[in-house]
Amino acid sequence: VLKNIFQFYFESFDKSITPDAWRVWDGENSLAAFFLKKDYLDWYRGHGFRSAGFIHIKNYISIGAEYNQINQSQMNNVLEGEKFNNHKPYKIMEGDDNHLKYFVTMGYPIDYEVRNKLQFYLALVSLQSEGNNNNSFVKDHFFLNLLAPYTSDLNFNIKILSGASNVSDSIWNIDGYHQNIFAIGGKGTLRGYDWKQFVSSHYFLTTLEIWFDEIGFLYDRSVIFKSPGNTFNSDYFEDLANYITSETAIHHSAGISFGDEDASLSFMRQLNGNNKT
C-alpha cells in the first residue's frame, strides 16, 4: 500500500518448521545431506496461521509486528536412519505456540558482492508468548552487521549478535526444551566449534573479519552466561559485564579464509578449551 510504505500479509499453513533456517541456506543443507549424510536443521510440525503489518520509512527503517497462532508437534527429521546424524525428533512442547513477534530493522542485509562502499544493517526482534498454558516466554534477539571498506582491496566485516530469553533453567537445561533459547556453535555463530555445541538462554557474540582481496582473517568471540529471568534490560547488561572477563564464559576462535562471495575455503581453530581443533 502507498508504494510499499505499508505492507500486510496473512498466511495459513500446515508445514514443517525449522528454527535454523537463518544459519544454513536450504540448498547448502541439501548438499550436506547428499554428500555428508547429515541434516543440520532441526524440524517440527506446525499448523495454524500468521498475520503481520509493517511500516517502511523511506524504505530504510522498518517497524512491524506479526501474530502467530500455531499448534506444534514433534516430527522426525527429514532424513532418518543410522547414516544420518540427529535423526531423533527435535524436542518441543507440543500444543499451542501462540506469540507476538515485533521487528525493528534499519538498513539492508549486507551484500558481500559489494565491498567498495559502507554497508550497515541492524535488526531487533522480540517474541512474546500469548495465552499459552505450558509455553510462556519472552525472547529478544539483536543483530548488527557493518561492512566498512578502507581501500578498494581492504575491508572490515563486523558482526554483533546478542540474545536473551526468560525461559527458566528447569525447562531448557533440565527438561531439554531448546526451542525458545539459543544454540551457539558452528556456522552462523561461533565458528570452529561443534554445531550447536553450547545451549544457553543468554549470549553475546562478536565477529571480526579483515579481508584483503580474496584472503580473510577471521575472529569470533562469544560470552555465554546466565541472567535468570532477564531479557534486554539493565540487569541483563549488568550480568553481561560481570561475565565478559570470565574464562569459563568466554569461547573464541580464529582462522583464515580464501575465496570470495561465491566460494571459499576456511580454516578455524579454537583458542581455548581442551579441543583446539
Side-chain angles (χ1 to χ4, degrees):
V1 180
L2 297 177
K3 297 182 179 179
N4 279 341
I5 295 177
F6 299 96
Q7 211 168 37
F8 308 93
Y9 69 79
F10 175 86
E11 177 188 7
S12 179
F13 56 85
D14 185 351
K15 63 181 181 180
S16 56
I17 301 173
T18 176
D20 302 320
W22 66 277
R23 298 168 59 116
V24 175
W25 172 52
D26 199 36
E28 182 180 1
N29 189 59
S30 297
L31 292 173
F34 187 79
F35 290 107
L36 304 178
K37 302 294 189 267
K38 185 168 185 178
D39 184 359
Y40 282 98
L41 308 183
D42 288 317
W43 301 92
Y44 62 95
R45 179 190 176 189
H47 62 93
F49 72 88
R50 61 169 56 98
S51 60
F54 292 87
I55 301 174
H56 304 292
I57 303 172
K58 293 186 176 180
N59 204 29
Y60 189 77
I61 300 173
S62 298
I63 302 171
E66 177 186 84
Y67 176 71
N68 290 262
Q69 183 168 309
I70 303 173
N71 185 274
Q72 62 184 17
S73 57
Q74 293 185 7
M75 61 174 285
N76 289 324
N77 265 25
V78 173
L79 304 176
E80 299 181 59
E82 296 179 356
K83 293 183 179 180
F84 297 99
N85 296 342
N86 302 321
H87 59 272
K88 293 182 179 179
Y90 179 53
K91 190 175 181 181
I92 62 168
M93 290 186 177
E94 296 192 309
D96 291 336
D97 179 27
N98 305 330
H99 60 269
L100 277 169
K101 190 175 185 179
Y102 302 98
F103 306 82
V104 178
T105 66
M106 182 180 296
Y108 309 101
I110 301 300
D111 182 358
Y112 294 105
E113 295 184 1
V114 181
R115 295 188 178 182
N116 59 357
K117 69 175 183 178
L118 180 68
Q119 297 186 63
F120 171 85
Y121 182 68
L122 180 148
L124 178 62
V125 181
S126 181
L127 281 74
Q128 299 182 14
S129 60
E130 290 288 321
N132 302 336
N133 294 327
N134 300 317
N135 189 19
S136 178
F137 64 91
V138 176
K139 179 182 179 182
D140 294 338
H141 204 190
F142 172 86
F143 174 62
L144 172 66
N145 194 182
L146 178 69
L147 191 147
Y150 185 74
T151 66
S152 58
D153 293 325
L154 177 63
N155 55 72
F156 302 86
N157 185 28
I158 301 167
K159 294 180 183 179
I160 299 175
L161 296 90
S162 184
S165 170
N166 70 350
V167 175
S168 65
D169 185 83
S170 62
I171 292 177
W172 67 265
N173 196 23
I174 297 176
D175 295 336
Y177 294 103
H178 297 162
Q179 182 181 3
N180 295 310
I181 57 167
F182 306 96
I184 309 302
K187 184 172 181 177
T189 55
L190 184 61
R191 294 168 293 185
Y193 287 79
D194 290 339
W195 180 255
K196 293 187 173 184
Q197 181 172 341
F198 306 103
V199 180
S200 176
S201 58
H202 296 79
Y203 84 100
F204 182 83
L205 178 104
T206 56
T207 291
L208 172 64
E209 299 181 358
I210 303 173
W211 283 91
F212 184 77
D213 198 10
E214 295 182 351
I215 300 175
F217 300 94
L218 321 175
Y219 177 69
D220 293 349
R221 181 183 180 90
S222 72
V223 184
I224 299 171
F225 64 101
K226 294 182 179 180
S227 184
N230 296 322
T231 51
F232 285 161
N233 54 32
S234 58
D235 292 332
Y236 167 88
F237 293 105
E238 182 177 340
D239 290 333
L240 173 60
N242 292 333
Y243 279 97
I244 206 164
T245 57
S246 171
E247 292 185 2
T248 58
I250 293 175
H251 305 275
H252 53 153
S253 59
I256 189 170
S257 186
F258 305 92
D260 55 21
E261 63 279 354
D262 296 319
S264 63
L265 180 65
S266 301
F267 300 89
M268 297 293 294
R269 180 179 176 87
Q270 300 176 22
L271 299 180
N272 62 337
N274 299 322
N275 184 26
K276 296 182 179 180
T277 55

